[in-house]
Amino acid sequence: MTILVTRPSPQGEELVSRLRALGRVAWSFPLIDFTPGRELNTLGQSLQTLGDGDLIFALSQHAVSFAHAQLQQQHLRWPTSAHYFAIGRTTALALHQVNGLDVRYPLDREISEVLLQLPELQTIAGKKALILRGNGGRELLAETLTARGADVTLCECYQRSPIHYDGAEEAMRWQSREVTTIVVTSGEMLQQLLTLIPLWYRENWLLKCRLLVVSERIAKLAQEMGWQDIQVADSADNDALLRALQ
């Protein structure tokens, strides 16, 4: 079994290194990269408007790293009186490492629906909530917090940009290397992968591969696109992906 990991750098390369250390044949093929978000320069100002007990949400490790770099550049600190939340364990750990504070996250699954079930988020009317995220995605969180009476501000900390490849060339390469398992960590990347690969290779190779994804939502999307052999990892971090691949 040869494994193709499409998750972005550096997590993609890290997963490939760990797989190779276990004797597996694996390759990195990042489909997107990251650049600073359009609202990153407003972050300091947004944080300064937060009061005691207001809410800060981080929706990915990339949101944390871009936000922290921005605060360092402006010689600003993370507010200590706010309550911090993350979409999952890895993001929570990244946030805790930069602010040294307690970060709550859903223990079950790393999705907005489960995050919104946390007891602390049930009675939030009148509180301000700042959501650190990439371009687009996860509207449910903002909509639900607003419906519960919070004053929500979104901060686009980074942008995801597709990396351009020659689809026929890449399809030929991965088929000749006998790739039979593909790791995809977002619906956006799944769509990009399907669009990139020419029809002949799509039907004769791509859709016949086993697909490892990180949520039921992506699995459903993959099924609609024509994949049949789909596995869902426990969460989106490399530990969970490694467990699933073993």
Side-chain angles (χ1 to χ4, degrees), residues 99-174:
N99 69 13
L101 302 168
D102 183 45
V103 182
R104 297 279 286 120
Y105 63 95
L107 299 175
D108 182 13
R109 287 171 58 222
E110 301 185 0
I111 54 173
S112 301
E113 288 89 337
V114 183
L115 175 61
L116 285 160
Q117 288 170 15
L118 291 175
E120 301 94 322
L121 298 179
Q122 303 315 304
T123 311
I124 54 169
K127 289 188 183 294
K128 288 182 179 174
L130 175 63
I131 300 177
L132 311 177
R133 64 176 195 168
N135 49 319
R138 300 197 198 269
E139 301 298 340
L140 175 71
L141 180 63
E143 288 166 4
T144 308
L145 294 173
T146 302
R148 290 178 186 175
D151 177 9
V152 178
T153 302
L154 300 170
C155 182
E156 182 193 279
C157 295
Y158 67 95
Q159 287 197 325
R160 294 176 290 267
S161 312
I163 300 173
H164 299 288
Y165 294 101
D166 181 319
E169 197 177 296
E170 294 302 330
M172 216 180 326
R173 184 204 316 273
W174 303 125

Side-chain angles (χ1 to χ4, degrees), residues 4-50:
L4 189 65
V5 176
T6 66
R7 90 173 311 172
S9 305
Q11 289 97 336
E13 282 90 346
E14 185 210 52
L15 180 57
V16 165
S17 296
R18 291 174 68 180
L19 285 164
R20 287 177 176 175
L22 294 168
R24 313 304 283 272
V25 181
W27 301 92
S28 177
F29 181 48
L31 290 172
I32 58 174
D33 60 11
F34 302 99
T35 53
R38 291 167 298 187
E39 293 156 354
L40 194 56
N41 61 352
T42 67
L43 174 64
Q45 195 180 341
S46 296
L47 287 175
Q48 284 168 348
T49 67
L50 299 180

Side-chain angles (χ1 to χ4, degrees), residues 182-208:
I182 302 175
V183 178
V184 178
T185 52
S186 80
E188 182 187 359
M189 287 190 282
L190 188 67
Q191 183 63 64
Q192 194 183 335
L193 182 65
L194 193 76
T195 307
L196 174 70
I197 302 301
L199 187 61
W200 188 89
Y201 285 103
R202 205 182 297 170
E203 291 174 350
N204 291 283
W205 165 69
L206 184 68
L207 293 173
K208 291 180 178 177

